[in-house]
Amino acid sequence: MSAEAIRQAANDFPACLERLWPLAARRGISHNTFQAYTASLTPDLRIMDLLDNQPEFTKSFWDYLDILITEDRIRKGREVLEKNRATFDIVERTYGVDRYTIAAIWGVETNYGTLAGDRPVLRSTATLACIGRRQPYFRDEFLATLEILQRGDVRPEKLIGSWAGAFGPTQFMPTAFKRFAVDFDHDGRRDVVDSMADLIASTANNLKKDGWVTGQTWGYEVVVPANFNFMLAEHRRMMPVREWERHGITRANGQAFSRGDDMAFLLVPAGVQGPGFLMLANFRAIMKYNPAEAYALAIGHLSDRLRGGGPFVQEWPRYEKVLSRSERLELQELLARHGYDVGEPDGHLGARTRAAIRDFQTKIGRVPDGFASAGVLEQLRGR
Ligand code: CA
């Protein structure tokens, strides 16, 4: 969005909020509540710079994991698990969701509540509901925020969070709060900011409703053989783990897969030079919490580390140049020009972009590993 377009939208901000009033009324927001919370609201324009800079989409997998999976974060996570052991016990029994995964979300999202953000959720969501490229999405978040305030689940001075409006130690978005938050300590409020019982249970409930399978892991680090058919590495291609074994996939730590019938897809995020991962249903459940592969892998890996597991076995291709935002956009635009459907170019290199790269690599006789390297960008430019 251009500076001029942002300025115009900012001028229109009070009128934009006024246009949202009928939608709020339809949700049972009283006119008093609406007036009280919106009358002196101004847009937070600094957010517009942050909208396109989410680290889970802009950094390489290895840089992102290096930042998040540290000895300090593993140690703190174990302390959080110990301190809340009784709550985790009962939540695990009630929801069947692995405690280490909940603790990992807590750790990755906010370093266990120490980095939960300092922006009022109402102001952030109102800004993004009226300015920028994701207004319909944030309109819903803004209205859900008003519902939370009217109901009094979380006090206004506690409803602060990230620039995107995520709040509390596990960073609930307002609509996710509406769907998943529970009053686990039975005090009449669903307080995912200050009640550890509500926080842990609500996060578990979120994962459960998003398809968590009790007793299953998120996935396995695997070795992909050199002659592997990378066209099989597709989110949609779910096969039993033992079928992947028939294709030569083995666990990186040398152990056997514990459950051959579990359905999995293969993710090779850094191409033929990097590690592979077999991802089970729980990886998809984590991706619903935040739809970035690097994020879900960080959660899965941190959960394993909290449980006592070791670091990844295989090396990442750290010598590869990480594409800048403009290069990632250019890559997507070039793929679109070659006839591939990669959606609206947004610089987020996910499954669709990877599938298009694989197809392109096949056409030019390269190993179709789908990795968006500087080399692939060069090859696309040359055609
Ligand atoms: Ca409560």
Side-chain angles (χ1 to χ4, degrees), residues 228-295:
F228 186 77
N229 172 13
F230 280 91
M231 299 307 277
L232 298 174
E234 246 288 351
H235 271 228
R236 276 166 302 184
R237 186 175 297 267
M238 299 290 283
M239 298 200 290
V241 166
R242 75 165 48 88
E243 187 64 30
W244 288 109
E245 282 188 284
R246 273 186 217 120
H247 285 276
I249 301 287
T250 55
R251 274 185 86 176
N253 63 9
Q255 292 175 9
F257 293 105
S258 38
R259 299 158 52 126
D261 293 331
D262 287 351
M263 299 297 282
F265 71 90
L266 179 67
L267 179 68
V268 189
V272 64
Q273 313 289 343
F277 300 92
L278 276 187
M279 299 306 198
L280 310 187
N282 287 340
F283 185 80
R284 291 191 194 277
I286 299 168
M287 272 195 75
K288 287 188 187 156
Y289 208 91
N290 180 341
E293 292 164 346
Y295 171 87

Side-chain angles (χ1 to χ4, degrees), residues 68-378:
L68 289 170
I69 318 291
T70 61
E71 289 305 323
D72 181 60
R73 215 169 286 226
I74 294 165
R75 184 180 48 74
K76 273 196 205 147
R78 290 182 181 150
E79 285 168 14
V80 159
L81 282 155
E82 187 53 39
K83 197 170 158 208
N84 299 282
R85 177 191 290 269
T87 307
F88 276 113
D89 283 346
I90 181 164
V91 165
E92 220 167 34
R93 278 201 302 278
T94 307
Y95 296 95
V97 175
D98 169 51
R99 70 182 63 201
Y100 300 101
T101 303
I102 297 169
I105 289 177
W106 199 342
V108 165
E109 289 287 355
T110 63
N111 199 10
Y112 310 103
T114 58
L115 298 169
D118 54 8
R119 292 186 149 84
V121 173
L122 189 71
R123 188 178 186 211
S124 300
T125 54
T127 302
L128 292 163
C130 289
I131 306 170
R133 61 181 167 80
R134 297 188 65 196
Q135 292 180 31
Y137 171 84
F138 281 105
R139 205 173 294 148
D140 210 23
E141 299 296 342
F142 168 70
L143 295 167
T145 307
L146 285 172
E147 288 180 72
I148 296 169
L149 288 166
Q150 173 159 289
R151 207 176 163 281
D153 281 310
V154 180
R155 280 183 257 280
E157 70 273 17
K158 293 288 190 166
L159 203 56
I160 56 172
S162 74
W163 61 266
F167 62 98
T170 59
Q171 297 279 278
F172 272 97
M173 288 299 288
T175 54
F177 175 94
K178 253 186 83 174
R179 270 177 288 154
F180 305 121
V182 292
D183 176 19
F184 204 66
D185 60 12
H186 306 291
D187 71 345
R189 295 166 57 230
R190 299 180 294 168
D191 183 358
V192 298
V193 178
D194 286 325
S195 159
M196 293 303 107
D198 290 4
L199 168 71
I200 293 167
S202 299
T203 308
N205 187 42
N206 187 334
L207 288 170
K208 183 187 153 106
K209 296 262 164 67
D210 275 342
W212 185 269
V213 181
T214 305
Q216 254 186 26
T217 181
W218 58 274
Y220 304 95
E221 184 193 352
V222 297
V223 178
V224 182
N227 60 352
F228 186 77
N229 172 13
F230 280 91
M231 299 307 277
L232 298 174
E234 246 288 351
H235 271 228
R236 276 166 302 184
R237 186 175 297 267
M238 299 290 283
M239 298 200 290
V241 166
R242 75 165 48 88
E243 187 64 30
W244 288 109
E245 282 188 284
R246 273 186 217 120
H247 285 276
I249 301 287
T250 55
R251 274 185 86 176
N253 63 9
Q255 292 175 9
F257 293 105
S258 38
R259 299 158 52 126
D261 293 331
D262 287 351
M263 299 297 282
F265 71 90
L266 179 67
L267 179 68
V268 189
V272 64
Q273 313 289 343
F277 300 92
L278 276 187
M279 299 306 198
L280 310 187
N282 287 340
F283 185 80
R284 291 191 194 277
I286 299 168
M287 272 195 75
K288 287 188 187 156
Y289 208 91
N290 180 341
E293 292 164 346
Y295 171 87
L297 183 60
I299 299 295
H301 186 48
L302 181 56
S303 75
D304 282 351
R305 302 296 296 274
L306 294 175
R307 214 188 314 270
F312 289 135
V313 176
Q314 299 161 96
E315 286 297 321
W316 294 95
R318 292 174 182 275
Y319 46 82
E320 284 282 359
K321 177 182 174 295
V322 178
L323 299 185
S324 68
R325 174 168 166 78
S326 64
E327 287 170 329
R328 281 180 276 120
L329 285 169
E330 184 189 354
L331 179 92
Q332 290 179 316
E333 277 154 15
L334 285 169
L335 287 167
R337 209 174 301 159
H338 280 77
Y340 294 106
D341 175 19
V342 293
E344 182 70 23
D346 57 3
H348 297 183
L349 304 181
R352 275 207 284 188
T353 302
R354 198 179 303 120
I357 292 173
R358 269 203 313 264
D359 196 75
F360 173 71
Q361 288 172 316
T362 305
K363 277 188 189 146
I364 64 168
R366 304 285 169 130
V367 177
D369 66 1
F371 181 49
S373 64
V376 165
L377 179 58
E378 272 311 308

